Amino acid sequence: MLRSLHTSLQPRIISYYKKHGFNKEDFFADTIAGLAVAIVALPLAMAIAIASNLPPERGLFTAIVAGFLISAHGGSRYQIGGPTAAFIVTVAMVAMKHGYDGLVLATIMAGGILMLMAFFRAGEMIKFIPYPVIVGFTSGIALLIAFSQIRDFFGLTITTIPPDFIHKLTVYIEHLQTTNPFAILVALASVAIILLAKRFIPKIPGPIIVVVLSGFAVWAFNIPVETIETRFGAIPSMLPTPTWPEITFEKLRLLLPDAITIATLAAIESLLSAVVADGMTGTKHKSNAELLGQGIANIASGIFGGLPATGAIARTATNIKAGARSPLAGMMHALWLFVFMFFLAPLIIKIPLAALAAILMIVAWNMSEIKHVREIMYAPRSDRVVLILTFLLTVLVDLNFAIQAGIALASILFIDQMMKQTQIRSVDTEEDDPDSIQNKSIPKGVEVYEIQGPLFFGVAEKLLDTLLLFEKPSKIFILRMRYVPLIDAAGLHALEVLHERLSHKDTVLILSGVNPHVRQLLQKANLITIIGEEKIVDHIDKALIVTREILENIK
């Protein structure tokens, strides 16, 4: 077991080099791919930090530290990690409520939670989060990201922006008169450049063209728009000294819900990104190793003054298209970003905020899942309800509550569907079935009912209600369970109550078609002793034999 756990947590880079070895060709390809990804990641990392109401260098620290460690310790061959747009809303809320120190501690706690998830092999469990919930909160985050960029996109003069959607809308309306037409011009030109670059020169990342051209234009023509320098001042050219935040029990208690949200979002986003990479390359990621890498990276990111990090789908796709061979490409992307920060910090601060806002507007559109939302709108009504509820709660309340409510509602609706599928009936109509009751000789005074489906808490009450259907008590009640694949505690309790009520009416209960798994659960619940071992059989013919013996004894 320990050896299996060790294998599932082993970083992909180790298994890759064990199999393929190290060679110059792969190193060169990974170095070039890392450079391509770093060029894309540079403006995104800063834009995400600024959108989270934090200094741009926080995004760079995250991309460097977490980006390196996610590739070094993760379970995907091509994963690129760093700050992502999906975290913007959560990071801004946590930082506003608890300050940056609170965000750092929440990030470190989230890293610990991710590591625990890896050790308990929870990587495969992420797939149980309903698809409409994922699409709902992703679309909601996309709207919130776009909404958060209105200030810089339109150049509004606003000192403090409230975190919630409605109050933010009110503040925007109140400050419409402060709109800067030059900021709008820069933003629209940036959007146009990104779209045109994607169409005509797809090999060159549009965001890097935007930051270079917009920064040069603002400097050369002295365009009156806000830049990184005018709002934040200079940015450092080195990583900060690692520091550990102050930890108290009260802080841990207050930050635990936010840490769980960050960990859940990091796990979902990173594993989705790994799945996308697998689809593009035909590889197979190690989900638990990926969670372990994410946990290590988030702890380190917090210590080095960064933000929460996870796998970035767009940057991972860029890595693959750039010809990456191994996880070394992700590590090289982090090293290239460090080089950029070290040598280009005086130039980076000239980038206009309107251009970064435009980049995030495009990112938000790509995140919006419009295609998948349309698909779900043609799905069953329950899926549409879950999608809409999760979306609205993400926008109007918060992401943590939205995910919890979405999963809870999806679970309830699924249970309701399972209850409707599970039938309890007295006569089967499958005439071609040799075990059909219609092909059996049923003695007088015997009632036969059959359960078709799992016997769980949603169906237990329905089973007990069958007693109300009896006009007069029968001598023997046979309950066929050949189509019952599983049973839970409520189902076991329902059988016990059913036995008691039938006993009070002098009716004998016989269970037929009980499979080995269900029989084992009956044994653990002591129901075999209560009902009687001879009255729990695996076939209807055996149940009828027992029935005739009981009737003979009654005579």
Side-chain angles (χ1 to χ4, degrees):
M1 182 177 177
L2 290 176
R3 185 172 183 178
S4 174
L5 178 63
H6 176 266
T7 302
S8 69
L9 298 179
Q10 186 181 72
R12 176 61 71 184
I13 193 169
I14 293 177
S15 57
Y16 177 83
Y17 283 122
K18 280 183 178 179
K19 181 177 180 180
H20 300 280
F22 181 84
N23 58 72
K24 293 181 180 179
E25 290 78 11
D26 285 357
F27 178 78
F28 180 76
D30 286 336
T31 301
I32 297 302
L35 174 61
V37 177
I39 291 173
V40 174
L42 177 67
L44 283 175
M46 294 187 296
I48 289 166
I50 293 171
S52 303
N53 298 324
L54 293 169
E57 62 265 24
R58 302 292 183 193
L60 291 176
F61 298 159
T62 309
I64 293 169
V65 176
F68 185 91
L69 293 173
I70 285 173
S71 295
H73 294 277
S76 174
R77 182 170 166 180
Y78 300 101
Q79 183 83 283
I80 298 294
T84 65
F87 276 125
I88 288 175
V89 179
T90 301
V91 168
M93 289 289 289
V94 176
M96 182 168 291
K97 287 191 299 181
H98 305 287
Y100 180 70
D101 288 343
L103 174 64
V104 167
L105 184 54
T107 303
I108 293 173
M109 291 170 64
I113 294 171
L114 285 164
M115 293 180 71
L116 287 175
M117 291 170 68
F119 286 121
F120 285 102
R121 301 185 181 185
E124 295 297 324
M125 297 184 66
I126 299 298
K127 64 185 179 184
F128 293 114
I129 296 179
Y131 181 61
V133 174
I134 294 176
V135 174
F137 79 69
T138 303
S139 301
I141 290 172
L143 175 60
L144 291 174
I145 291 170
F147 204 63
S148 70
Q149 296 309 297
I150 289 179
R151 174 180 66 170
D152 293 334
F153 195 96
F154 290 93
L156 303 179
T157 306
I158 303 174
T159 305
T160 304
I161 299 181
D164 59 289
F165 185 85
I166 301 300
H167 289 167
K168 192 177 293 183
L169 176 62
T170 303
V171 170
Y172 285 154
I173 294 173
E174 291 174 351
H175 290 80
L176 278 178
Q177 71 277 7
T178 66
T179 299
N180 183 346
F182 294 100
I184 297 176
L185 182 63
V186 170
L188 292 176
S190 299
V191 171
I193 290 171
I194 292 173
L195 297 178
L196 292 172
K198 184 177 180 180
R199 180 173 182 180
F200 295 107
I201 45 175
K203 291 186 177 181
I204 302 177
I208 200 66
I209 300 176
V210 164
V211 297
V212 171
L213 292 183
S214 63
F216 176 77
V218 169
W219 171 78
F221 300 104
N222 198 26
I223 300 175
V225 294
E226 200 170 13
T227 64
I228 292 176
E229 184 178 26
T230 58
R231 182 180 294 180
F232 300 102
I235 62 174
S237 58
M238 290 291 293
L239 290 173
T241 303
T243 56
W244 196 263
E246 180 186 356
I247 300 176
T248 64
F249 177 79
E250 183 64 17
K251 284 186 176 181
L252 294 176
R253 185 184 65 81
L254 289 174
L255 290 168
L256 182 59
D258 296 311
I260 293 174
T261 300
I262 292 171
T264 303
L265 193 55
I268 294 172
E269 289 291 315
S270 64
L271 295 179
L272 282 177
S273 178
V275 169
V276 170
D278 290 344
M280 294 177 66
T281 60
T283 56
K284 176 69 175 176
H285 74 279
K286 299 162 68 175
S287 56
N288 295 314
E290 184 61 30
L291 291 181
L292 180 62
Q294 297 289 336
I296 294 171
N298 274 279
I299 291 174
S301 179
I303 294 173
F304 277 91
L307 312 173
T310 185
I313 295 176
R315 277 163 270 175
T316 299
T318 300
N319 187 41
I320 294 169
K321 292 176 182 177
R325 304 276 182 87
S326 75
L328 181 63
M331 298 164 68
M332 293 304 299
H333 124 272
L335 294 177
W336 278 116
L337 282 173
F338 178 78
V339 171
F340 292 163
M341 185 177 71
F342 186 80
F343 289 104
L344 302 179
L347 298 178
I348 289 173
I349 59 177
K350 304 298 182 183
I351 298 172
L353 297 179
L356 295 179
I359 292 172
L360 282 183
M361 285 286 193
I362 297 294
V363 171
W365 173 257
N366 292 335
M367 277 185 64
S368 62
E369 302 274 10
I370 295 296
K371 176 183 175 182
H372 301 299
V373 170
R374 289 173 180 168
E375 290 174 354
I376 294 177
M377 285 302 156
Y378 292 100
R381 180 173 175 270
S382 58
D383 289 334
R384 300 198 300 271
V385 171
V386 171
L387 169 68
I388 294 170
L389 176 73
T390 307
F391 173 82
L392 291 177
L393 289 177
T394 300
V395 173
L396 300 176
V397 185
D398 66 62
L399 180 62
N400 190 10
F401 183 71
I403 293 176
Q404 295 175 19
I407 293 175
L409 178 61
S411 301
I412 291 171
L413 293 174
F414 175 75
I415 291 168
D416 180 63
Q417 292 174 358
M418 290 295 292
M419 287 175 57
K420 292 176 181 177
Q421 292 297 317
T422 301
Q423 299 181 5
I424 302 176
R425 56 188 185 182
S426 60
V427 179
D428 57 59
T429 57
E430 301 174 11
E431 297 182 2
D432 57 340
D433 181 3
D435 291 327
S436 171
I437 289 299
Q438 295 183 349
N439 298 326
K440 305 293 180 181
S441 175
I442 307 300
K444 186 177 180 181
V446 176
E447 291 282 354
V448 181
Y449 275 73
E450 181 166 29
I451 303 177
Q452 294 187 335
L455 181 52
F456 65 109
F457 63 90
V459 184
E461 194 65 30
K462 187 188 293 186
L463 173 62
L464 297 177
D465 288 343
T466 57
L467 290 175
L468 301 176
L469 301 176
F470 297 165
E471 295 181 2
K472 59 181 181 179
S474 59
K475 295 178 181 178
I476 296 177
F477 181 83
I478 299 176
L479 183 62
R480 303 190 71 183
M481 299 175 64
R482 56 178 175 161
Y483 296 126
V484 177
L486 56 90
I487 184 171
D488 69 356
L492 292 169
H493 177 69
L495 288 178
E496 183 176 0
V497 173
L498 179 65
H499 174 264
E500 290 176 358
R501 293 183 182 179
L502 289 172
S503 297
H504 291 156
K505 297 181 179 181
D506 295 324
T507 300
V508 177
L509 173 64
I510 297 177
L511 303 182
S512 166
V514 178
N515 67 48
H517 173 67
V518 172
R519 187 180 182 88
Q520 186 179 22
L521 294 174
L522 293 175
Q523 178 73 51
K524 291 180 178 179
N526 202 36
L527 281 177
I528 289 184
T529 302
I530 294 173
I531 297 173
E533 186 170 2
E534 73 282 358
K535 297 169 189 171
I536 301 175
V537 295
D538 58 6
H539 197 274
I540 184 63
D541 290 340
K542 294 180 181 179
L544 292 174
I545 292 173
V546 174
T547 296
R548 293 187 179 94
E549 291 176 352
I550 293 174
L551 290 175
E552 285 293 330
N553 293 332
I554 293 176
K555 291 179 180 179

